[in-house]
Amino acid sequence: MKRWISLLALIMLFGIGLPQTSFALDDEEGLSSLEKGAPVRHLMLLRSGRFEIQPVAQFGINETFSQSIGFGANLAYYFTNYLGMGASFIYSPLHLNNELVDAVAKEDYDASVRRTLAIAQPLMNLDVGLYYTPLMGKFSLFGWILNYDVHLYAGFGMLIMDSVCAAGGAICENAKNNNLEGPKFAGVVGIGTRIFFNNFIALNLEVKNYLTKYADFSRGPTDDRARFKNFVAGTIGVSFFFPVTVYMSR
């Protein structure tokens, strides 16, 4: 019996004398080494402390009478790798009419409609808001390892609307009114993704929704058809990040 007691005491003394492992508690802070640090070390902070300059092309998605095509730029600054503030400005000089407008423009269409129908078209849109990037990672494409992220956007902005006669010319000038034209203030939300080609150049795909009150068309100077609507637009752009150097996490 004494031999068993002596053996047990020897095992206990041996265990107490072992050096602490990396999972042992830190005497000063009471935290394990895993709890003290991030699970992923030396992570590239592709957004943190950097400016993003992005020329973009915009395409209207849900317009009733035409599809607008615009060009502009986004500018953003990221306080952290997850949170930033940005602003954008788009000018839309091109509008591709759909079959509704093409039908109205024909000579045999109802004359009363041809004489009175004016349609709204976005001329400019601008916004300012916050970016939040909850998801980021890497994927492989043709042997390349590319970083990506998914980001959310929320802010406020403005649509500046113009109007044209559906049948062309000045035949419906008296149908235009303030419900069609002018600035329309909006709440803006969006979602997008970036694919990084390297540490400072990325492809940026984004969709934004402008919730505002405006009219798609009018048939007279007192014709008020303004309603709350979603103006949805998609953008494709190339992001350039500055400074070129990237911060690394600990």
Side-chain angles (χ1 to χ4, degrees):
M1 181 61 121
K2 290 182 179 180
R3 286 187 300 175
W4 287 106
I5 294 175
S6 299
L7 180 60
L8 180 60
L10 182 62
I11 293 173
M12 293 176 64
L13 289 172
F14 180 74
I16 294 172
L18 283 176
Q20 291 181 325
T21 68
S22 60
F23 295 93
L25 292 178
D26 186 281
D27 292 333
E28 296 180 0
E29 299 183 11
L31 297 175
S32 71
S33 58
L34 283 182
E35 293 174 315
K36 287 171 61 178
V40 179
R41 304 295 179 94
H42 306 300
L43 177 68
M44 286 195 302
L45 305 179
L46 291 169
R47 288 155 295 276
S48 184
R50 304 180 83 188
F51 288 94
E52 179 186 21
I53 300 173
Q54 180 190 170
V56 300
Q58 176 180 280
F59 305 90
I61 293 176
N62 67 333
E63 297 171 80
T64 304
F65 293 98
S66 62
Q67 181 184 49
S68 61
I69 300 175
F71 306 93
N74 293 346
L75 175 65
Y77 177 76
Y78 288 85
F79 310 106
T80 70
N81 205 36
Y82 302 92
L83 184 65
M85 174 174 284
S88 67
F89 172 81
I90 304 291
Y91 173 64
S92 300
L94 303 177
H95 300 87
L96 304 179
N97 293 334
N98 63 19
E99 63 275 6
L100 292 176
V101 179
D102 292 338
V104 173
K106 292 180 179 179
E107 292 291 339
D108 58 350
Y109 201 82
D110 186 289
S112 63
V113 177
R114 293 184 71 252
R115 286 195 300 268
T116 60
L117 182 61
I119 60 176
Q121 293 179 340
L123 181 63
M124 289 182 282
N125 56 282
L126 54 139
D127 57 78
V128 61
L130 294 176
Y131 282 102
Y132 174 60
T133 307
L135 181 62
M136 60 196 75
K138 297 181 179 181
F139 69 95
S140 177
L141 179 65
F142 304 120
W144 292 356
I145 303 299
L146 302 176
N147 288 278
Y148 75 92
D149 70 36
V150 175
H151 52 271
L152 307 176
Y153 180 83
F156 60 91
M158 179 190 300
L159 287 175
I160 299 178
M161 305 297 290
D162 194 9
S163 61
V164 296
C165 295
I171 196 170
C172 71
E173 286 297 326
N174 64 337
K176 296 182 179 181
N177 55 51
N178 291 333
N179 297 313
L180 291 182
E181 300 181 343
K184 315 293 180 183
F185 294 97
V188 187
V189 294
I191 185 171
T193 182
R194 294 185 193 87
I195 300 173
F196 287 85
F197 299 120
N198 52 38
N199 292 346
F200 62 94
I201 300 178
L203 175 68
N204 195 334
L205 305 175
E206 195 170 66
V207 176
K208 285 183 178 178
N209 179 19
Y210 293 75
L211 176 60
T212 186
K213 187 177 182 180
Y214 68 98
D216 286 327
F217 69 95
S218 171
R219 293 192 60 193
T222 61
D223 187 12
D224 184 2
R225 298 177 184 267
R227 301 290 186 272
F228 278 102
K229 299 177 183 293
N230 297 288
F231 173 75
V232 183
T235 62
I236 179 170
V238 178
S239 296
F240 299 91
F241 285 86
F242 298 97
V244 174
T245 55
V246 180
Y247 294 106
M248 303 289 291
S249 67
R250 296 178 58 185

